[in-house]
Amino acid sequence: VSSYLIRPAHPEETPAVLRLWRLAGAHPSHTDDEQSIGSLIARDPQALLIAVDGEQLVGSLIAGFDGWRGSLFRLVVLPERRRSGIGRALVAEGELSPRERGAIRITLYAIREETEALDFWRAVGYERDERLVRFVKDLDLAASAG
Ligand SMILES: CC(C)(COP(=O)(O)OP(=O)(O)OC[C@H]1O[C@@H](n2cnc3c(N)ncnc32)[C@H](O)[C@@H]1OP(=O)(O)O)[C@@H](O)C(=O)NCCC(=O)NCCS
């Protein structure tokens, strides 16, 4: 039987969150570091949700609202705890705060080849938007610091 609770992560849990992402094989992202997670929690203490079973972190989700759209990032469940509803519960919880703050739509990015993740998002009520292409630009930190 799966027992866990979902709550916002505390700043001191940042190393455990990074460890979960590594253990769960989450795609490395530019902001997988203590400083980035610390500034996320400082800006929005509700944004980083974790699923916790006793002392163990078993899942995570970043759910934010930028004043325009709700966004989800870093949905990760520990491999040995998958298919027991933790992902679904994290998403349900993550939708609450953007909704309360006025979001009417929530978006997220998924990797095209990761068909299991795509199946998950469909199962929890998200629709694939075929009209869109993602554009990114990496800001040159060295240049702006100089
Ligand atoms: C995607 C992920 C978060 C799902 O977490 P989870 O806790 O296993 O999901 P749930 O148990 O809540 O699943 C809810 C429903 O989603 C669907 N689903 C979940 N995993 C699935 C899979 N591997 N294949 C097909 N459907 C799946 C099922 O319909 C499932 O309901 P069911 O178990 O009653 O059939 C987890 O597999 C994971 O951490 N994957 C690696 C990271 C990742 O891909 N994250 C998403 C990035 S966009």
Side-chain angles (χ1 to χ4, degrees), residues 9-86:
H10 306 140
E12 63 274 16
E13 292 171 309
T14 300
V17 171
L18 288 166
R19 199 158 51 239
L20 167 74
W21 293 349
R22 275 196 308 273
L23 286 175
H27 276 275
S29 125
H30 281 46
T31 40
D32 282 359
D33 55 67
E34 292 203 24
Q35 197 192 344
S36 301
I37 297 178
S39 59
L40 171 72
I41 296 177
R43 186 174 178 275
D44 182 353
Q46 310 290 318
L48 175 56
L49 294 175
I50 52 176
V52 192
D53 183 350
E55 297 283 291
Q56 194 185 25
L57 240 76
V58 296
S60 74
L61 173 68
I62 295 172
F65 179 53
D66 57 16
W68 191 247
R69 289 282 180 272
S71 314
L72 304 181
F73 299 95
R74 288 329 227 175
L75 175 69
V76 170
V77 173
L78 210 56
E80 59 269 31
R81 301 297 293 266
R82 290 180 191 165
R83 296 311 282 266
S84 68
I86 298 174

Side-chain angles (χ1 to χ4, degrees), residues 4 24-27 58-60 72-79 81-91 108-111 114-124:
Y4 59 89
H27 276 275
V58 296
S60 74
L72 304 181
F73 299 95
R74 288 329 227 175
L75 175 69
V76 170
V77 173
L78 210 56
R81 301 297 293 266
R82 290 180 191 165
R83 296 311 282 266
S84 68
I86 298 174
R88 186 189 289 277
L90 278 163
V91 170
L108 62 100
Y109 300 106
I111 293 176
E114 296 195 341
T115 56
E116 294 182 352
L118 304 187
D119 287 343
F120 168 84
W121 289 114
R122 282 190 202 93
V124 298

